[in-house]
Amino acid sequence: MDTNQTGNRYCDGRTKHQYILLIFLLFPILILISLLYWYQPEGGQWRLLWAPSLDINLSFRLDSLSFSFACLISGIGVLVQLYALAYLRGKSSRFSFHLYLTLFMLAMLGVVMSDNILLLFVFWELTTITSYLLIGFDHENPKSRKNALQSLIVAGAGGLALLAGLILLGMITDSYELNVIIEQSSLIARHNLFVPSLVLILLGAFTKSAQFPFHFWLPNAMAAPTPVSAYLHSATMVKAGIYLLARLSPVYSQSEIWFYTLGIVGGFTAIWCAILALRQTDLKLMLAYSTNVALGKLTLLLGIGTELAITAMLLFILAHSFYKAGLFMVAGNIDKATGTRDIRVLRGLKSVLLLSLIAAVVAALSKSGVPPLLGFLSKEYMYKAAVEISSWATATFLVVNALMAALALTLVIKPFLAHYTGEPTPAKPVESDLGLWLPPIVLALGSIMAPVIGLGWLNTHVVSPGVLFAYPNTNPEVVKLWQGFNVPLLLSAVTLVLGYILYKVVPHILAWRERIPITLPNANDVFDRMMGAMMMFAKWQTQLLQQKRLSVYVLMFFVVLAGILLSQPLSIPQYVLTGLLTVEFYEVAIALLLVAAVLLCTFSRSRLLAIA
């Protein structure tokens, strides 16, 4: 009887636990359905007074830009939650993981839907904190703790710069409401605080979206469990900086500083990280550096800022989210089946992970830009925007896209399809669990169906309203899958040919490079040295100021006070000068005695003498 009761309690507890986990899955589904139901292309706004005297309100707006990001956050969030349910099956900390993931999702939704810039900052920092919890989820691993702290420091420092920039923006317009700020863009451009606010906001966006020289924290975030990587790299945290730049582009895009900074930083980030991606041997690191590349391309498109560039940006955000989340899930399946992500030892997995192979092939084709997938459509408009503006932008996109096509071939061919001698990598048949293969298959189908069937809906609800947000008085071009034979199509073909050539050549180049004793600067080493120097300075400062002697603290207080007083212009009223002429000798003597007593109390080593 006792045994049965114990078993019943165990089953009831287990069932209750599963119901709670199911709620985490249903929650983003309800959010997605609500977004699709309530959204109108003209937008909607909700406001609740919070601190009216400071012009801080709980203001939320659902327009084309926030709608696109919110749908990605909640839609891919559903698939990531489903994937995580299967990936972490049997783990004792599953509840905490899904809770952190849900809190992270809500923080990201707050960022993209906030219509008050200070409220946006609050949610911005919440994404930093919740991502820290997710990246360091395996807290018993020192590497996880270190990399989580690194992401927190980099994003937190950028957040402080962003806060300063947003406050300056509010000071210029006398409002912290985003719609008011955008309406006064011409006033902001003429203000003397325009450049400082721009620089500070760019620092915040660049740190969040891992632009050079802050690119290093994003690959290190791979210490997180694979579901976190799939979510963080595709639709959430790293896109927050891109969203901020897109949201404020009507304010700053007319500035040459904006154009050149975003163009140079985005272009260099894309090229440099594409090279680093091809040097990696860990599947997740290869994908992580390719995320840096995608963010660099998005930054470059925002720097170009034309109608075609905004169209390409919106399409590429969708395409990248679909194929990157799918590829991370496939990498997680490979790791779960074989126990390794090292591409040098993985081979012959097509028979064990057939469904993962199908998802990986579609995602890789989209990543390479093969028609009629969504990646091809975004790349076509990327080239159209670049050809319209300059040859250097066209060359940058061509080189980067070719490198990414080579990477896509590597990700699929080596683990699954390469010819080899000997036995294949030992692997467990993990695809018996529906949650591990269904999400990447759905994402692969999305890459196919969106441009083939859903292009009309994308034009009406995403692309056209998004372009009108940046250029209100224009007639946006309707996105078409086939636009005839033109220069962008030729560049797409050249990209695929170059990608295949690079796939064949790069391994030989890397082997030759290994024989040359050249050490390039490592961003992680630079960061570690900076943190070490900061700790040394903090220790020296503490030893200098915290001497555990009250007399020293009193002296420091009066020195600082005297410095503050002397920093102001000294103006002595006439009545004071007149009064000084009538001071008696004994009054001067008493004043001097008081000064001497104070100095004696300050410098005396004898407490008894000081008291006397």
Side-chain angles (χ1 to χ4, degrees):
M1 187 67 178
D2 293 340
T3 303
N4 291 335
Q5 289 176 350
T6 302
N8 290 335
R9 284 197 300 269
Y10 173 76
C11 292
D12 291 343
R14 185 176 179 182
T15 303
K16 181 179 179 181
H17 189 65
Q18 290 175 342
Y19 282 144
I20 294 174
L21 292 176
L22 187 62
I23 292 173
F24 288 124
L25 176 62
L26 293 176
F27 185 69
I29 295 177
L30 293 176
I31 292 176
L32 181 61
I33 293 173
S34 300
L35 288 169
L36 296 173
Y37 179 78
W38 288 107
Y39 172 68
Q40 298 293 332
E42 60 271 15
Q45 186 176 13
W46 300 267
R47 178 177 299 177
L48 181 65
L49 297 181
W50 184 12
S53 59
L54 300 176
D55 193 30
I56 304 176
N57 302 312
L58 297 175
S59 302
F60 296 96
R61 175 179 292 273
L62 186 64
D63 57 12
S64 59
L65 191 62
S66 57
F67 173 73
S68 302
F69 278 87
C71 283
L72 282 176
I73 293 164
S74 55
I76 293 184
V78 174
L79 298 175
V80 170
Q81 291 277 23
L82 176 60
Y83 181 78
L85 284 172
Y87 191 85
L88 298 175
R89 194 181 305 280
K91 300 289 185 181
S92 59
S93 52
R94 293 172 73 196
F95 178 83
S96 298
F97 179 85
H98 287 280
L99 177 62
Y100 295 160
L101 199 64
T102 302
L103 292 174
F104 179 62
M105 181 191 308
L106 290 173
M108 273 302 305
L109 287 170
V111 168
V112 301
M113 295 181 67
S114 294
D115 198 37
N116 184 287
I117 55 176
L118 295 183
L119 180 64
L120 184 151
F121 173 77
V122 171
F123 284 113
W124 183 279
E125 291 300 279
L126 286 175
T127 63
T128 301
I129 295 170
T130 48
S131 66
Y132 166 76
L133 295 173
L134 288 168
I135 294 170
F137 186 75
D138 186 12
H139 55 83
E140 295 179 356
N141 186 343
K143 184 178 180 181
S144 296
R145 296 198 302 269
K146 178 184 176 182
N147 293 349
L149 183 61
Q150 184 186 75
S151 70
L152 180 68
I153 291 172
V154 174
L160 292 176
L162 174 65
L163 176 61
L166 295 177
I167 290 174
L168 292 180
L169 200 56
M171 291 170 59
I172 296 172
T173 59
D174 199 27
S175 175
Y176 292 109
E177 296 294 309
L178 259 172
N179 58 335
V180 176
I181 291 171
I182 292 173
E183 289 172 358
Q184 300 187 43
S185 56
S186 57
L187 168 67
I188 298 171
R190 298 191 300 270
H191 202 278
N192 56 2
L193 294 177
F194 174 80
V195 174
S197 68
L198 170 59
V199 172
L200 290 168
I201 288 172
L202 287 181
L203 280 173
F206 286 171
T207 52
K208 201 75 160 184
S209 287
Q211 297 298 290
F212 185 88
F214 311 109
H215 63 289
F216 57 91
W217 75 262
L218 187 56
N220 290 336
M222 291 302 95
T226 297
V228 176
S229 303
Y231 198 37
L232 188 147
H233 282 251
S234 62
T236 53
M237 184 178 175
V238 297
K239 297 274 177 65
I242 300 300
Y243 169 81
L244 182 68
L245 295 175
R247 177 61 73 185
L248 294 178
S249 61
V251 178
Y252 293 114
S253 59
Q254 303 305 316
S255 168
E256 290 189 355
I257 299 175
W258 173 277
F259 173 78
Y260 286 109
T261 303
L262 267 62
I264 294 171
V265 172
F268 185 80
T269 300
I271 293 174
W272 178 244
C273 291
I275 296 171
L276 292 179
L278 287 170
R279 294 180 57 188
Q280 307 305 313
T281 56
D282 186 295
L283 287 173
K284 284 179 68 175
L285 278 178
M286 296 168 74
L287 291 171
Y289 277 108
S290 73
T291 299
N292 286 108
V293 175
L295 296 171
K297 291 195 288 185
L298 288 168
T299 302
L300 176 54
L301 286 170
L302 283 166
I304 294 172
T306 60
E307 293 179 42
L308 285 173
I310 299 299
T311 300
M313 179 206 71
L314 293 169
L315 292 172
F316 185 55
I317 285 173
L318 294 174
H320 173 261
S321 298
F322 285 179
Y323 71 67
K324 184 56 60 69
L327 286 172
F328 265 113
M329 291 175 184
V330 170
N333 291 348
I334 292 173
D335 189 11
K336 202 165 185 65
T338 64
T340 181
R341 298 191 302 264
D342 192 336
I343 202 165
R344 294 170 297 184
V345 300
L346 291 170
R347 58 189 184 183
L349 297 176
K350 61 182 178 181
S351 59
V352 183
L353 300 174
L354 179 60
L355 295 172
S356 296
L357 170 61
I358 294 171
V361 168
V362 176
L365 291 175
S366 182
K367 182 179 178 65
S368 302
V370 175
L373 298 168
L374 191 56
F376 164 76
L377 188 64
S378 66
K379 190 171 66 175
E380 285 289 283
Y381 279 87
M382 196 180 296
Y383 281 137
K384 286 185 71 173
V387 168
E388 183 185 58
I389 191 72
S390 68
S391 56
W392 70 265
T394 306
T396 299
F397 283 129
L398 181 62
V399 171
V400 170
N401 288 334
L403 289 170
M404 288 298 96
L407 183 72
L409 288 172
T410 304
L411 290 168
V412 173
I413 293 176
K414 288 194 174 181
F416 291 104
L417 304 174
H419 296 289
Y420 62 92
T421 56
E423 294 297 323
T425 306
K428 295 178 291 186
V430 297
E431 287 185 344
S432 57
D433 197 326
L434 180 141
L436 291 178
W437 62 262
L438 182 60
I441 288 291
V442 170
L443 289 165
L445 289 174
S447 294
I448 299 172
M449 305 303 287
V452 175
I453 297 177
L455 197 54
W457 188 89
L458 288 177
N459 270 311
T460 304
H461 293 82
V462 177
V463 177
S464 295
V467 175
L468 287 172
F469 170 78
Y471 295 95
N473 300 318
T474 58
N475 186 21
E477 177 182 331
V478 177
V479 175
K480 299 177 182 177
L481 183 59
W482 175 251
Q483 302 175 65
F485 295 97
N486 52 20
V487 174
L489 183 64
L490 175 62
L491 290 172
S492 294
V494 172
T495 299
L496 297 176
V497 174
L498 285 177
Y500 181 75
I501 294 172
L502 287 170
Y503 168 73
K504 291 291 188 181
V505 171
V506 164
H508 302 289
I509 296 175
L510 292 177
W512 171 76
R513 162 69 183 80
E514 292 297 327
R515 296 194 294 268
I516 301 176
I518 300 176
T519 304
L520 297 175
N522 187 289
N524 287 299
D525 292 341
V526 173
F527 177 82
D528 290 339
R529 291 194 187 101
M530 288 178 62
M531 293 303 299
M534 188 183 301
M535 295 300 294
M536 289 178 61
F537 175 77
K539 187 180 295 184
W540 169 81
Q541 183 186 48
T542 302
Q543 292 173 349
L544 177 67
L545 300 178
Q546 304 293 331
Q547 297 188 9
K548 300 180 181 179
R549 290 180 57 190
L550 183 60
S551 58
V552 175
Y553 298 156
V554 173
L555 176 62
M556 289 180 182
F557 172 77
F558 281 108
V559 168
V560 173
L561 179 62
I564 294 173
L565 295 175
L566 293 175
S567 66
Q568 303 299 322
L570 186 62
S571 176
I572 303 176
Q574 184 63 38
Y575 68 86
V576 175
L577 296 175
T578 305
L580 288 175
L581 297 176
T582 61
V583 174
E584 299 294 337
F585 169 75
Y586 69 87
E587 293 177 323
V588 175
I590 293 173
L592 292 175
L593 183 62
L594 286 171
V595 172
V598 169
L599 292 175
L600 186 62
C601 288
T602 303
F603 292 102
S604 175
R605 293 181 178 271
S606 170
R607 289 188 175 89
L608 185 61
L609 179 61
I611 291 172

